[in-house]
């Protein structure tokens, strides 16, 4: 087991230099420490110090050797290639930097022991319910880090786009609530340092890829949070960004090479033409503008084709998985990065952790576009991915259409029915992550026109579809937003997360009757799913929509769970003979939401604008 002493020693070693003639002050050495026993034997250290480029590097430790030194345009960087033998022991060794026989610096480097079973860790899967959190807006558990000296943006809860004070301590305090709700995986938006002058809370403009933002807590706080979550049967998925960084990242004060950023470090906006990556007719100029273009000038776009930068980014992801004991990675703006790098990156992670899981964000309603990126897809251009999962934007949009459109031969439920039929193009559709909303979309309750009946249908579908479900924080209490994108309001504070809140979703104080019922609905569904292998592993059979009614079953061996949706303003009677290929005659069910027994005798009564979720009785 890694000890706190070892970690502290590794971090302090960044500044422990032995005085020497012309001593070099090592400003950064990353990764700060590593582990013995990793599958990949190669390790590359990035050393940043004044004129360090001309240095030679020596070390004396069994199982570790220097295999090369690589230089870049900037003489203040040196990349040190190490090779670790499979049987290297945990311990520390001294890196000695010399030039012309004189010692420039000495640096103590630590190889830590891996946690038992680290390589075999289980990633998130269909067994899980993922809960997405905007950390700054969830719970303020530590007021002492609301304002941090040296960071440019302070607390301002009155500003929808400002810092509100939520932190890691707050997420840790909320663990009992999340466990009771039925959550088994937590996905916080990025927690790494975002030392920007404004809008820094959202986390996607990192200024230090190895450091938790002090306004959220420390690296050790994050590690402890994951450990406490694990004790409650909850894994943690880290939100990682390899496409871009923040414009105040420490690299930009002394960039290794201009070629580390696309368009030679000058701002050139992306065209967002995501299909150009796989379009056989796309012009090269358009494909380049998509991949190499910047989102905004405050988010410089990284050139992952640079081999040193690629290695840096890959090692950073592995480092966080190993250090924090993660169960997954959510990769932001997935297709905007170089696609060959993405294969290299994901393959390294999945080789190191064969049971791990990674989900990519490809924001497209087109399943052809999304399926291109999933591991196992045989693409016509020969491209092969190693990323196991993708966010299921196509099914998300189909669900919204099914619930909000008037029924017709080509509208309403048929949109969802046909969208699920597109599963034939995915290598593993059940490993896709289906969501009801996220930090970039309007709140689903608002999109459904604040209709409780439609909301219930959405929650039932989310938690019974053959997917990995993801819930956005506050959906369980009917949080609302404008229908048009408004980041500040979509990511509004979770009630009860701040001292003095008059409404507290954790205790139920001040919640309306509708909110309490919605919270109980999600809790019932999530915990039922958590303990039901049919919904986790079972097969799916659905029946084409008829007269505003859509129905399907999840089944495994003799176990069956049936779902019926009725969008009509009046009750409907369903003839169950239609389902005889799967449903036994005169079937008896337990209503999952009420616990009542339902005897069918060949017919089933569906309430007006209602939904039924039924478990077949033996």
């Amino acid at each position: 087991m890694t000890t706190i002493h070892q970690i502290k020693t590794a971090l302090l070693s960044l500044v422990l230099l032995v005085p020497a003639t012309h001593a070099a002050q090592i400003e950064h050495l990353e990764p700060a420490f590593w582990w013995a026993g990793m599958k990949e034997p190669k390790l590359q250290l990035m050393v940043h110090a004044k004129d360090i480029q001309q240095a030679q590097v020596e070390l004396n430790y069994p199982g570790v050797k220097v295999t090369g030194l690589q230089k870049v345009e900037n003489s203040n960087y040196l990349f040190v290639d190490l090779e670790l033998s499979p049987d290297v022991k945990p311990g520390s060794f001294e890196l000695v930097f010399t030039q012309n026989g004189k010692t420039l610096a000495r640096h103590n480097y630590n190889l830590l022991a891996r946690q038992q079973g680290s390589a075999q860790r289980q990633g998130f899967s269909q067994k899980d319910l993922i809960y997405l959190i905007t950390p700054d807006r969830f719970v303020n558990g530590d007021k002492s880090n609301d304002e941090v000296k040296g960071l440019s943006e302070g607390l301002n809860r009155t500003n929808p786009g400002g810092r509100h004070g939520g932190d890691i301590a707050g997420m840790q305090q909320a663990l009992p609530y999340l466990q009771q709700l039925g959550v088994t995986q937590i996905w916080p938006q990025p927690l790494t340092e975002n030392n920007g002058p404004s809008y820094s809370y959202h986390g996607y403009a990192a200024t230090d890829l190895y450091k938790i933002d002090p306004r959220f807590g420390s690296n050790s706080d994050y590690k402890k949070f994951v450990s406490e979550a694990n004790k409650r049967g909850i894994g943690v998925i880290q939100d990682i960004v390899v496409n871009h960084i923040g414009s105040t990242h420490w690299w930009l004060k002394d960039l290794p090479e201009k070629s580390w950023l696309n368009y030679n470090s000058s701002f050139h906006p992306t065209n967002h033409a995501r299909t150009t990556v796989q379009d056989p007719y796309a012009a090269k100029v358009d494909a380049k503008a998509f991949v190499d273009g910047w989102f905004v000038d405050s988010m410089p776009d990284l050139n992952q084709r640079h081999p040193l930068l690629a290695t840096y980014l890959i090692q950073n992801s592995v480092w966080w998985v190993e250090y924090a004991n993660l169960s997954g990675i959510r990769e932001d703006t997935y297709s905007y990065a170089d696609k060959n790098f993405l294969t290299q990156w994901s393959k390294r992670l999945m080789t190191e952790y064969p049971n791990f899981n990674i989900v990519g964000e490809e924001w497209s309603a087109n399943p052809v576009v999304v399926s291109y990126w999933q591991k196992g897809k045989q693409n016509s251009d020969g491209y092969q991915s190693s990323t196991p999962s993708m966010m299921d934007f196509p099914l998300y949009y189909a669900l919204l259409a099914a619930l909000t459109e008037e029924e017709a031969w080509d509208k309403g439920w048929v949109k969802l029915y046909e969208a699920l039929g597109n599963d034939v193009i995915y290598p593993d559709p059940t490993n896709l992550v289906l969501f009801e909303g996220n930090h970039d979309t309007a709140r689903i309750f608002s999109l459904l026109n604040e209709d409780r009946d439609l909301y219930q249908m959405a929650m039932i579908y989310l938690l019974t579809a053959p997917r990995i479900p993801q819930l956005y924080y506050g959906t369980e209490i009917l949080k609302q937003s404008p229908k048009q994108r408004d980041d500040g309001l979509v990511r509004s504070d979770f009630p009860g997360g701040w001292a003095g809140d008059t409404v507290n979703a954790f205790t139920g104080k001040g919640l309306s009757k509708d909110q309490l019922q919605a919270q109980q609905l999600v809790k019932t569904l999530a915990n039922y799913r958590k303990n039901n292998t049919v919904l986790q592993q079972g097969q799916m059979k659905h029946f084409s929509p008829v007269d505003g009614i859509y129905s399907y079953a999840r089944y495994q061996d003799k176990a069956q769970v049936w779902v019926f949706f009725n969008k009509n303003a009046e009750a409907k009677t369903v003839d169950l003979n239609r389902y005889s290929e799967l449903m036994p005659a005169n079937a008896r069910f337990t209503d999952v939401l009420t616990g009542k027994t339902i005897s069918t005798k060949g017919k089933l009564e569906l309430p007006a604008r209602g939904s039924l979720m039924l478990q077949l009785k033996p």
Side-chain angles (χ1 to χ4, degrees), residues 397-417 448-449 451-458 461 545-551 563-574 605-612:
Y397 284 117
L399 177 60
L400 289 179
L403 293 172
T404 57
E405 292 179 352
E406 293 292 330
E407 288 298 304
W409 70 271
D410 61 344
K411 294 181 180 179
W413 286 126
V414 72
K415 293 282 186 69
L416 191 60
Y417 177 76
L448 298 178
N449 301 313
D451 187 315
R452 280 289 320 281
D453 295 327
L454 296 180
Y455 169 84
Q456 178 165 307
M457 293 179 193
Y461 189 82
V546 176
D547 192 22
I549 296 171
Y550 179 45
S551 52
V563 174
F564 292 85
F565 295 130
N566 175 24
K567 279 170 56 181
N568 295 286
E570 64 278 350
K572 292 286 184 178
T573 300
V574 176
E605 300 297 324
L606 301 184
R609 294 183 56 77
S611 42
L612 290 178

Side-chain angles (χ1 to χ4, degrees), residues 46 72-75 77 79 251-252 254-258 260:
M46 184 180 75
V72 289
E73 292 174 354
N74 190 334
S75 64
Y77 286 87
F79 291 81
W251 289 346
L252 299 210
D254 195 28
L255 194 63
E257 285 189 347
K258 282 188 176 182
W260 273 40

Side-chain angles (χ1 to χ4, degrees), residues 19-51:
T21 305
H22 306 298
Q25 177 66 45
I26 295 182
E27 298 183 31
H28 301 91
L29 195 153
E30 295 175 339
F33 52 87
W34 203 248
W35 293 266
M38 301 293 281
K39 190 173 184 65
E40 171 56 58
K42 295 179 181 179
L43 173 63
Q44 187 173 86
L45 306 179
M46 184 180 75
V47 184
H48 179 219
K50 181 67 175 176
D51 294 326

Side-chain angles (χ1 to χ4, degrees), residues 171-203:
M171 291 194 296
Q172 187 165 320
Q173 288 179 17
L175 287 174
Y177 168 79
L178 296 176
Q179 182 183 22
Q180 292 170 9
L181 190 64
V183 170
T184 58
Q185 297 284 340
I186 297 172
W187 158 26
Q189 286 180 243
L191 294 162
T192 47
E193 182 191 87
N194 273 233
N195 189 16
S198 63
Y199 203 63
S200 64
Y201 79 92
H202 82 317

Side-chain angles (χ1 to χ4, degrees), residues 7 17 19 39 58 82 160 187 189 205 238 279 283 296 323 353 380 400 405 418 427 440 443 514 560 578 584 603 605:
I7 294 174
L17 302 174
K39 190 173 184 65
E58 301 173 358
L82 303 180
W187 158 26
Q189 286 180 243
Q238 182 156 327
D279 180 359
V296 289
Y323 171 75
Y353 309 101
S380 60
L400 289 179
E405 292 179 352
E418 292 182 348
D440 293 324
R443 289 285 182 172
D514 283 351
Q560 297 179 16
R578 184 184 181 206
K603 295 187 182 299
E605 300 297 324

